[in-house]
Amino acid sequence: MRRTAWAVCVLSLLLVVAALVFGHRNGAGLFAQSHLLFVAVCALVGGLITAERPGNAVGWLMATCGLCFALLDATGHYALAGLPFATPMSWPQTWLWVPANLSVAAVPAFFPSGRPTSPGWRAALWALAGVAAVTTALSALLPGPSHQLGWGTPLPNPLGVPALAVVSPFVEPLTTGLMGALFVTGAAGLVRRAGRGDADERVQLKWLGYAAGLAGLIVAGRVAAGLSDGDPRSIWPITSPFWEVMGTFAACLLPAAAAVAVLRHGLFDIDLVINRTLVYVLLSACVFGGYVLVVTYLGAVFRAADGLPVSVAAAGVVALVFAPLRERLQRAVNLVMYGRRDDPYAALALLGRRLEEAAEPGAVLAAAARSVAEALRLPHVAVEVAGGPTHAYGVASPGALRLPLVHRGEPVGDLVLSPRPGETGLGARDRRVLADLARQTGIAVHAVRLSADLQRSRERLVAAREEERRRLRRDLHDGLGPTLAALTMRAEAVQDMLRNTLRYTGRDTGCDPDALAMLEEIMTDARTAMGDVRTLVEGLRPPALDTLGLAGAIRSHAARLPGVEIDVEIDGSLPALPAAVEVAAYRIAAEALANARRHAGAGRVRVRLGMTGGAHAGALEVEVADEGGRPHADGGGSGVGTASMRERAAELGGTCLIGPRPGGGTRVLARLPARTTAPDTAPDAAPGPALDTAQDTRREAGDGADPRAAG
């Protein structure tokens, strides 16, 4: 295959030479045949790639393109010269243009590995190959002159079939359109793969992209020159040898870049090539534009007949601004390609601003990762906290690097960085900037860890407080309450006994009426104490939570709200919840229902309780959605009720989101971490309503109950 590749390459080059010789004999100038340089480059690139990578289809496509175009020009100019066998030699040019252009159009579909990227591509390519075969056969038999040579008198097709004249106007436009669609679709696939491929493939695509960008710049210059030359015959400057050469050079860039990308993409630093090209293209444009402006301005001011002094003055001005202009352009291009690695102070300032703008502790490290990525133009940066979560920015790629984050000698995490596309690592200048950024990020990680420790302490305090309130309520309800009730009952019993004695025996028995008054005072004080205990118990914790549970308590509260239809739904079964979680969920639901009733004017509200999975596994989810015509009055976050709901969720390490509901109304969604309750704080069985039934018990125990005690 290597010998075949080199044979095709040599044959194509010999045909190019023959085309030049015959074209010169026919009067075609050197610039009129400048496209043959592109043909020679395609032949050489095809030979090189096929010899080094015999299985890569890109090489064979380039070789086919070079051979077909070379044979087309050589036979066409031979026939145009009127040499022996001129008539049969005029036939190949009528159909060779089809495989030649198809080879060029198919290169993006096979680049850079030489294989189609998907089965869909294979089917499409086979279909286009079939269409091209039919088009080639039709072109070989179409009657009339052929214009494929592009120079001289068009030659008639010696094998033309007159009956095919009807399809003649459609063959070339249809084929050209299909080939253009193939090329554009393949180029779009290259763009998509540039973001998903591995490092080597991205470097290869970058070479081709660099060549395409430079060629596009030259083509734009040619079009601008053609539109401004005053010749309406063409948009190209057909009378300018310079632009003809530049157009040929632009066409040669693509096969040359394909050869480097396939064979030697790791030998040169494409990023450095792109960097320097951008700098010098911009510098040339600025110098040229500045020179023209200075010459025009000085010529208009001084009206000098001799342009030499003006030109010298303009050259002096350009020479003065050249060095500072180049330096500024270099910094600007480096900023676009490498970020702020040349300006560590700017990178640190960006990090400082982002950390200052982070409103919540959880967003600090995400802001730090984003700042490092943007400062150095890295595709992915992650801040990994030791024993904690990871905060990432961007999409990770293979070959990630790790930098330890240290605060006062203590490791606090790692900074994980992905190199830029096409790079396998970070250079010395990148590492110097990263050393400063890592120190500041380590401080931020330490601060976030302290904030997390403080939040955990707050959560434990809140949980302990609510558990202690539940214990106090249980002790007061089951201990002190029944004791006071029993004392009241005994005092009432003694009072009844004394009254019965006075009723049947009179005052002469020695029973002092003052004793009855003192017993009445004791009972009054005991009832007052019972009321105070009841008020204290109800203030420590909503009583319905212990008697009805969380779902029942919310249903009971909802039943007491008139004018609103409230549906309470439970997803699955709720486990035993910590006291703090129960209280927070109840209070949030009650406040959300109150807002829906007061502010939204909702006629129907849906309350949903359930345990969540996924990223929020083990959390209690409380959702209150109303169908009001407008959001709550304090839905923007300024109301006391809204702030209270958010604070209750935050003190447990949860979240409370308040926003518009799809379809109208407001939706409150709270997620509260529902960690398993410790055995020593697990709630006992719900206590009985001892305080509420004390009077009934007394009435059942005594016959002569005082009617005044019924209250």
Side-chain angles (χ1 to χ4, degrees):
M1 293 183 72
R2 290 185 175 88
R3 285 196 297 270
T4 303
W6 284 120
V8 170
C9 176
V10 171
L11 176 60
S12 300
L13 293 177
L14 290 175
L15 288 171
V16 168
V17 172
L20 286 171
V21 171
F22 293 134
H24 179 69
R25 176 174 177 172
N26 293 333
L30 195 59
F31 292 111
Q33 298 188 88
S34 59
H35 64 280
L36 290 174
L37 179 60
F38 167 75
V39 176
V41 171
C42 285
L44 282 171
V45 167
L48 287 171
I49 294 178
T50 309
E52 293 291 327
R53 307 277 195 277
N56 194 310
V58 174
W60 292 109
L61 290 172
M62 290 289 185
T64 303
C65 172
L67 179 62
C68 290
F69 275 127
L71 186 59
L72 186 152
D73 272 79
T75 56
H77 278 291
Y78 181 92
L80 196 61
L83 298 173
F85 305 104
T87 300
M89 293 295 281
S90 65
W91 179 67
Q93 63 156 340
T94 61
W95 56 271
L96 278 173
W97 66 275
V98 178
N101 285 286
L102 179 64
S103 301
V104 175
V107 167
F110 290 89
F111 186 85
S113 63
R115 297 183 300 275
T117 55
S118 67
W121 259 120
R122 294 186 182 92
L125 289 170
W126 278 112
L128 281 172
V131 172
V134 174
T135 308
T136 303
L138 287 173
S139 299
L141 299 175
L142 288 178
S146 173
H147 299 271
Q148 296 300 326
L149 190 60
W151 190 89
T153 305
L155 299 172
N157 186 354
L159 299 181
V161 179
L164 296 177
V166 227
V167 300
S168 182
F170 308 103
V171 172
E172 185 174 347
L174 175 63
T175 308
T176 305
L178 288 175
M179 291 179 184
L182 172 63
F183 186 84
V184 170
T185 307
L190 290 179
V191 173
R192 287 195 301 270
R193 281 157 49 199
R196 299 198 306 259
D198 56 21
D200 283 344
E201 189 177 48
R202 283 199 295 268
V203 173
Q204 291 174 307
L205 296 174
K206 195 178 289 186
W207 273 104
L208 193 65
Y210 167 73
L214 197 56
L217 190 64
I218 294 173
V219 169
R222 285 190 71 196
V223 171
L227 294 176
S228 59
D229 63 357
D231 190 347
R233 292 178 297 170
S234 173
I235 63 171
W236 307 105
I238 54 179
T239 59
S240 171
F242 170 77
W243 283 113
E244 285 295 323
V245 173
M246 290 302 293
T248 304
F249 174 72
C252 294
L253 282 175
L254 294 173
V260 175
V262 173
L263 301 176
R264 295 290 184 272
H265 64 270
L267 187 61
F268 310 101
D269 186 356
I270 179 59
D271 288 329
L272 182 61
V273 173
I274 294 175
N275 184 292
R276 295 296 184 266
T277 302
L278 285 174
V279 170
Y280 284 105
V281 166
L282 293 174
L283 185 62
S284 301
C286 292
V287 167
F288 178 75
Y291 181 83
V292 171
L293 288 176
V294 171
V295 168
T296 305
Y297 176 75
L298 292 179
V301 170
F302 296 104
R303 293 184 173 84
D306 184 7
L308 181 60
V310 174
S311 300
V312 171
V317 172
V318 169
L320 286 175
V321 302
F322 180 84
L325 179 61
R326 181 190 177 281
E327 184 179 352
R328 287 179 177 272
L329 288 174
Q330 186 69 65
R331 283 203 302 267
V333 172
N334 286 349
L335 179 63
V336 172
M337 294 185 64
Y338 307 117
R340 292 178 170 85
R341 74 177 188 184
D342 293 336
D343 191 356
Y345 174 77
L348 289 172
L350 175 63
L351 177 60
R353 285 197 305 273
R354 287 284 164 76
L355 295 180
E356 184 180 357
E357 292 170 358
E360 300 178 0
V364 169
L365 298 186
R370 179 185 175 189
S371 300
V372 174
E374 291 181 355
L376 296 179
R377 292 291 189 273
L378 300 177
H380 175 262
V381 173
V383 179
E384 295 183 355
V385 181
T390 298
H391 303 267
Y393 177 80
V395 180
S397 59
L401 305 176
R402 284 182 173 271
L403 290 179
L405 298 175
V406 180
H407 178 72
R408 294 184 179 178
E410 175 191 359
V412 294
D414 291 294
L415 190 63
V416 184
L417 312 107
S418 295
R420 301 179 189 90
E423 296 183 355
T424 56
L426 297 175
R429 285 186 290 179
D430 290 324
R431 292 181 179 273
R432 281 196 298 270
V433 178
L434 281 172
D436 294 330
L437 294 175
R439 278 194 294 271
Q440 304 304 319
T441 307
I443 296 173
V445 171
H446 179 68
V448 169
R449 292 179 71 189
L450 290 179
S451 177
D453 291 342
L454 181 61
Q455 175 63 26
R456 284 192 293 270
S457 299
R458 183 187 182 190
E459 294 171 16
R460 285 194 292 268
L461 286 173
V462 171
R465 180 193 70 194
E466 294 301 330
E467 292 295 340
E468 185 64 15
R469 284 184 172 185
R470 178 154 63 180
R471 186 188 66 79
L472 286 173
R473 182 182 186 278
R474 184 171 60 243
D475 292 346
L476 292 172
H477 193 285
D478 297 346
L480 183 58
T483 300
L484 291 173
L487 288 174
T488 304
M489 291 166 57
R490 289 185 187 126
E492 288 178 347
V494 172
Q495 188 184 52
D496 290 342
M497 290 171 61
L498 291 176
R499 284 176 177 169
N500 289 334
T501 302
L502 289 173
R503 184 182 306 163
Y504 294 109
T505 61
R507 295 181 178 271
D508 296 334
T509 58
C511 180
D512 189 354
D514 293 337
L516 294 175
M518 292 179 65
L519 285 173
E520 184 66 31
E521 291 177 0
I522 291 173
M523 288 187 294
T524 301
D525 292 342
R527 293 189 193 102
T528 303
M530 287 174 59
D532 292 342
V533 169
R534 183 182 296 111
T535 303
L536 181 61
V537 166
E538 292 178 354
L540 286 173
R541 175 179 167 85
L545 289 176
D546 290 329
T547 57
L548 302 175
L550 177 59
I554 293 177
R555 286 194 178 99
S556 175
H557 178 80
R560 295 195 299 268
L561 297 178
V564 182
E565 182 183 350
I566 300 175
D567 298 328
V568 180
E569 302 174 3
I570 310 297
D571 292 344
S573 59
L574 299 180
L577 298 171
V581 174
E582 286 186 333
V583 172
Y586 178 80
R587 299 296 189 196
I588 289 173
E591 182 63 34
L593 289 173
N595 283 345
R597 182 168 173 266
R598 288 196 303 263
H599 303 300
R604 184 172 183 179
V605 183
R606 174 176 170 267
V607 181
R608 183 181 62 83
L609 300 175
M611 303 301 295
T612 62
H616 301 279
L620 173 67
E621 192 170 79
V622 181
E623 181 183 16
V624 180
D626 63 65
E627 298 179 358
R630 62 186 187 279
H632 295 172
D634 55 356
S638 59
V640 176
T642 300
S644 173
M645 287 189 286
R646 288 187 173 129
E647 287 173 3
R648 287 185 183 278
E651 66 182 7
L652 294 177
T655 59
C656 182
L657 305 177
I658 304 173
R661 171 184 169 272
T666 304
R667 175 175 177 260
V668 177
L669 179 61
R671 290 192 179 97
L672 309 174
R675 301 176 181 87
T676 303
T677 306
D680 58 341
T681 60
D684 296 335
L691 293 179
D692 299 332
T693 59
Q695 301 293 345
D696 296 335
T697 305
R698 182 195 58 76
R699 293 193 193 97
E700 294 175 0
D703 297 331
D706 185 0
R708 293 174 297 175

